[in-house]
Amino acid sequence: MSSISTTGANDVPSDAIRAALIKRLRISSAIADEDISEIEALPISVRQYPAETAVVRDGERATDCCLIADGFCARSKTIANGKRQILSLHIPGEIPDLMSLFLHVMDHDLSTLTPATLGFISHETLQKLHRRRPVVAELFWRDTLIDAAMFREWIVNVGQRPAPARLAHVMIELRERLRIIGRVDGASFEMPLTQEQIGEALGITAVHANRVIKQLRQEGIVEFHRGHATVLDERKLLELADFDDRYLHQSPTL
């Protein structure tokens, strides 16, 4: 098993880690300066994780919530025959296991997709903050509800759209979430999933995922290269995905 290292403040500035969360929260919620100060004061333990490493497993009792400072993570569920369904993708600034504050035993896995820098905040610290600052608790509650909205969209995507549209939808969602944290470069953005992982996210085999990727490339819609996706035809991609971004709630008014 790959080792996990604990990183000191000199290696990863703690303010940069908190800034990733605050930057994303500002998009979806109205945050007062005093609430930002409370979040900035949170004590964070920073650890480096290799790619494809479990952060917390199904059945475990978490004692911390993790904040992604850099890298990509995924939540997933593995059934008895070993097949895995990726349930969601997570990017810098997100706390993908916030529900563990109140759901004491994990009912799915959280793991890294890429090498990742994760900041851990103890449940006790977050619970005290929620009691002391109810407005901050509301911010995190809204964040959890947005997470649930994305889950609903993923259910529809896997259950009702054909495979090419599924991939197009996941791509646009990931791009729009990366855009708000400044991680989109023109027509290109990070999409560090293998063909097998794409299949697990779409509910299809790796072989089928390979055919879908080739189809989108041959139709001049998208190009994939070394963990990045480049949109070649924006109009075709949007039409294929049938994408409506309201469920992302990227505004305090939504």
Side-chain angles (χ1 to χ4, degrees):
M1 179 180 292
S2 300
S3 61
I4 299 167
S5 62
T6 301
T7 304
N10 292 332
D11 297 308
V12 180
S14 59
D15 57 345
I17 294 172
R18 295 176 185 86
L21 171 61
I22 292 168
K23 182 175 183 178
R24 194 180 57 78
L25 287 176
R26 281 186 183 276
I27 300 298
S28 61
S29 304
I31 310 177
D33 290 342
E34 56 266 33
D35 296 323
I36 291 175
S37 297
E38 291 281 355
I39 294 172
E40 288 175 337
L42 286 170
I44 296 178
S45 173
V46 182
R47 300 173 204 162
Q48 303 285 353
Y49 279 71
E52 299 185 44
T53 302
V55 179
V56 60
R57 292 183 174 88
D58 191 347
E60 291 184 346
R61 289 179 175 267
T63 58
D64 307 271
C65 290
C66 83
L67 165 60
I68 303 173
D70 193 35
F72 290 72
C73 292
R75 286 188 284 181
S76 63
K77 189 84 175 180
T78 302
I79 61 175
N81 65 6
K83 291 184 178 180
R84 183 174 75 153
Q85 178 69 46
I86 290 179
L87 306 170
S88 57
L89 304 176
H90 294 277
I91 64 174
E94 295 184 348
I95 305 179
D97 60 349
L98 196 56
M99 79 292 293
S100 68
L101 266 176
F102 305 105
L103 301 178
H104 305 301
V105 177
M106 288 289 287
D107 55 29
H108 60 279
D109 297 316
L110 173 65
S111 57
T112 60
L113 289 173
T114 66
T117 302
L118 305 180
F120 290 84
I121 310 169
S122 75
H123 286 175
E124 182 181 4
T125 296
L126 283 172
Q127 287 164 353
K128 287 180 178 178
L129 174 59
H130 285 184
R131 296 185 186 108
R132 188 173 69 251
R133 300 288 300 183
V135 173
V136 174
E138 289 177 9
L139 291 174
F140 285 122
W141 174 230
R142 176 175 166 83
D143 199 51
T144 302
L145 292 175
I146 293 172
D147 198 44
M150 290 192 286
F151 264 130
R152 289 191 291 273
E153 194 65 30
W154 274 57
I155 291 171
V156 173
N157 197 45
V158 171
Q160 297 300 323
R161 295 187 178 100
R166 291 181 209 177
L167 179 54
H169 199 279
V170 168
M171 289 180 59
I172 295 177
E173 178 193 291
L174 181 60
R175 182 186 66 178
E176 294 312 298
R177 290 162 62 198
L178 288 170
R179 189 190 305 280
I180 67 172
I181 61 169
R183 298 284 288 263
V184 173
D185 182 14
S188 299
F189 57 96
E190 293 175 83
M191 190 171 173
L193 282 76
T194 65
Q195 288 182 8
E196 182 178 5
Q197 290 166 342
I198 289 174
E200 291 172 334
L202 303 184
I204 59 179
T205 66
V207 173
H208 192 180
N210 181 54
R211 289 199 297 266
V212 171
I213 291 168
K214 285 184 177 179
Q215 177 183 335
L216 296 189
R217 181 183 294 120
Q218 291 169 352
E219 292 179 1
I221 299 174
V222 177
E223 182 65 63
F224 297 91
H225 183 65
R226 295 189 176 183
H228 285 73
T230 300
V231 178
L232 305 176
D233 192 316
E234 179 75 13
R235 181 185 61 80
K236 286 184 179 180
L237 182 65
L238 290 171
E239 287 180 354
L240 180 62
D242 186 29
F243 190 82
D244 182 343
D245 69 355
R246 283 179 300 165
Y247 74 96
L248 296 176
H249 299 277
Q250 292 182 336
S251 167
T253 64
L254 293 176

